[in-house]
Amino acid sequence: IRLPSGTRHKRRFLQSQRVDSIFKFIASLDPNLDAEEGIDILHAQNKSLREHRGSLIEALGLKNASLIVKVLE
């Protein structure tokens, strides 16, 4: 996971977890990032995960995915 500051963090999630758990993890890394309203997470080809927060990680094919956190304005 690459944060807007440029730092990178490795983290494994269970395939049975929801995408929302990724947002919560990111919020725990940087208290300045608002996981509810202020960020989006992008994966392959800049596809947004924001609309899929309730989906399972497995259903979206995110196994071993590289994620980029984007601050919304």
Side-chain angles (χ1 to χ4, degrees), residues 7-52:
T7 60
R8 295 172 188 258
H9 298 272
K10 288 186 179 182
R11 171 72 156 78
R12 293 182 187 253
F13 295 90
L14 296 175
Q15 295 290 301
S16 59
Q17 287 181 279
R18 302 214 178 270
V19 172
D20 191 54
S21 61
I22 301 172
F23 279 85
K24 290 178 181 177
F25 172 70
I26 291 167
S28 74
L29 294 174
D30 187 343
N32 295 323
L33 296 175
D34 178 9
E36 294 299 319
E37 299 292 329
I39 64 169
D40 194 1
I41 301 173
L42 306 175
H43 69 103
Q45 301 167 347
N46 289 331
K47 293 182 181 176
S48 173
L49 294 179
R50 192 165 175 76
E51 307 84 40
H52 303 286

